[in-house]
Amino acid sequence: MTYSHSHLLGIEPLAPPDITAILDLADQYADLNRRDVKHSDALAGLTQINMFFENSTRTQASFELAGKRLGADVMSMAMQASSIKKGETLIDTALTLNAMHPDLLVVRHPHSGAVDLLSEKVNCAVLNAGDGRHEHPTQALLDALTIRRAKGRLHRLNIAICGDIAHSRVARSNIMLLGKMENRVRLIGPPTLMPSGIADFGVEVFEDMEAGLKDVDVVMMLRLQRERMDGGFIPSEREYYHRYGLDAEKLSHAKEDAIVMHPGPMNRGVEIDGELADDINRSVIQQQVEMGVAVRMAAMDLLARNLLARRQAQTGVMV
Ligand code: NCD
């Protein structure tokens, strides 16, 4: 099975075999990452540039480590300090970087669609590390790998995604990926935090946690994304925790062996009880972080193979 695309811009354009190809290779990298010597030369000689126009801790660190473990030359640009501040457009910045011959560009941007636009202007492989409320494909892939390893399969599962769906690119990418792999997805949250046009998503919607969590295999919690809210989406954090915060009592309505997930960063005591988040018998939050590095290694490896094959076909010589 192979991954046939030039970029990883979102889950939307992917077919199930593309998803499986990334997850299968990521499984191998997860094994490598548990060894003492975690090194491969899959990206040796290639240059990876990370451009994060929005704050990030784990995603940026994860991409950086993934590139280094595969032997790439990795540079992370501090975009807050870059020429963007001086008024340079996203496209000018991209063209400047493009002239330095990168092979992989990893981009996070606050505007939905910005990463797609950028991918049309450069001649390297582009990976979307989160664009506005649009997509966050590597997060959905790492979530999928975590589920597949915990549950032994990635189909015919009941999966609840809970909380601030409206502002979440993680939710959008996950809804698409889990749907493509033939799972049943439920969204749980207050109507104010549900996106418009929800009926087109092929999901079931619940306002009540108890009803929504009944018999699910996976409970995926989301952060309340205050930076994307401009007004009163929730009455108060206390009230929100009371109705939608995941604790042991609410979780008791899910299947006995249901796993708990969260993409991070977490607001303990707002969307999730701190003790439950740390309960290694239920929570796979640390595994998600671990699988993140493996999934990013797999995605960059597959994209690099396609890039080198394309260049070879264009020039007729080995690169
Ligand atoms: C998510 C993001 O940035 O979209 N976090 C992440 O990538 N680990 C979710 C969030 O910020 O809540």
Side-chain angles (χ1 to χ4, degrees):
M1 256 187 231
T2 54
Y3 180 85
S4 54
H5 303 261
S6 311
H7 306 290
L8 177 58
L9 300 174
I11 298 297
E12 197 165 15
L14 304 189
D18 295 320
I19 293 167
T20 304
I22 296 176
L23 300 187
D24 288 350
L25 184 57
D27 251 332
Q28 295 176 32
Y29 280 129
D31 292 341
L32 177 75
N33 288 339
R34 287 184 183 181
R35 295 202 202 127
D36 288 334
V37 179
K38 310 160 182 56
H39 214 73
S40 136
D41 58 4
L43 299 183
L46 300 182
T47 300
Q48 172 192 338
I49 301 182
N50 300 331
M51 296 165 71
F52 280 67
F53 295 90
E54 231 184 36
N55 289 341
S56 166
T57 317
R58 75 203 70 215
T59 306
Q60 185 167 343
S62 182
F63 267 112
E64 210 170 307
L65 204 53
K68 287 184 171 160
R69 286 191 180 160
L70 295 181
D73 295 311
V74 185
M75 183 179 77
S76 289
M77 302 267 299
M79 297 317 293
Q80 278 84 355
S82 81
S83 300
I84 293 281
K85 281 271 181 281
K86 298 180 190 162
E88 189 176 74
T89 66
L90 168 69
I91 300 305
D92 281 333
T93 307
L95 293 177
T96 302
L97 288 177
N98 194 47
M100 298 181 194
H101 299 291
D103 304 290
L104 296 150
L105 262 187
V106 179
V107 188
R108 169 170 284 195
H109 199 278
H111 295 151
S112 302
V115 184
D116 289 43
L117 182 70
L118 190 142
S119 73
E120 290 165 15
K121 311 286 177 190
V122 296
N123 37 32
C124 60
V126 176
L127 292 101
N128 181 1
D131 64 324
R133 303 174 188 188
H134 180 225
E135 283 235 37
H136 191 353
T138 57
Q139 179 70 44
L141 287 160
L142 75 88
D143 290 339
L145 184 61
T146 307
I147 295 171
R148 195 172 82 166
R149 288 168 74 107
K151 293 282 154 206
R153 67 179 201 272
L154 187 60
H155 58 272
R156 275 188 275 120
L157 292 166
N158 288 317
I159 299 168
I161 306 179
C162 316
D164 185 1
I165 319 272
H167 301 102
S168 177
R169 54 194 174 208
V170 175
R172 261 190 114 252
S173 291
N174 262 306
I175 291 166
M176 283 186 274
L177 188 153
L178 296 168
K180 283 175 198 272
M181 303 313 276
E182 295 180 12
N183 297 283
R184 294 177 62 171
V185 178
R186 304 174 184 181
L187 306 182
I188 315 175
T192 47
L193 294 178
M194 284 293 159
S196 52
I198 196 77
D200 307 333
F201 282 70
V203 293
E204 276 183 279
V205 181
F206 292 84
E207 220 179 301
D208 176 67
M209 284 287 269
E210 188 177 325
L213 288 179
K214 193 168 165 18
D215 292 333
V216 298
D217 300 285
V218 177
V219 186
M220 206 179 268
M221 301 308 299
L222 297 172
R223 184 173 63 89
L224 264 189
Q225 298 180 63
R226 293 215 169 266
E227 75 277 18
R228 300 193 203 287
M229 297 181 194
D230 48 5
F233 284 85
I234 57 162
S236 72
E237 284 187 354
R238 247 187 85 181
E239 172 72 10
Y240 183 81
Y241 182 69
H242 177 67
R243 291 206 57 193
Y244 295 102
L246 188 69
D247 56 14
E249 198 284 315
K250 292 194 189 80
L251 184 64
S252 69
H253 300 285
K255 279 195 187 144
E256 215 175 314
D257 61 351
I259 54 169
V260 174
M261 306 178 76
H262 193 302
M266 264 186 289
N267 298 307
R268 290 169 186 263
V270 179
E271 68 258 355
I272 190 165
D273 168 52
E275 241 174 79
L276 180 58
D278 297 333
D279 179 355
I280 55 165
N281 295 315
R282 306 309 298 267
S283 160
V284 294
I285 295 171
Q286 296 306 320
Q287 280 94 311
Q288 289 175 270
V289 178
E290 182 187 2
M291 291 311 127
V293 180
V295 153
R296 287 165 181 131
M297 289 166 85
M300 290 197 291
D301 181 352
L302 293 170
L303 286 171
R305 290 185 209 180
N306 293 349
L307 180 76
L308 297 184
R310 258 195 336 273
R311 284 184 187 162
Q312 194 183 331
Q314 274 163 12
T315 59
V317 291
M318 288 286 285
V319 276

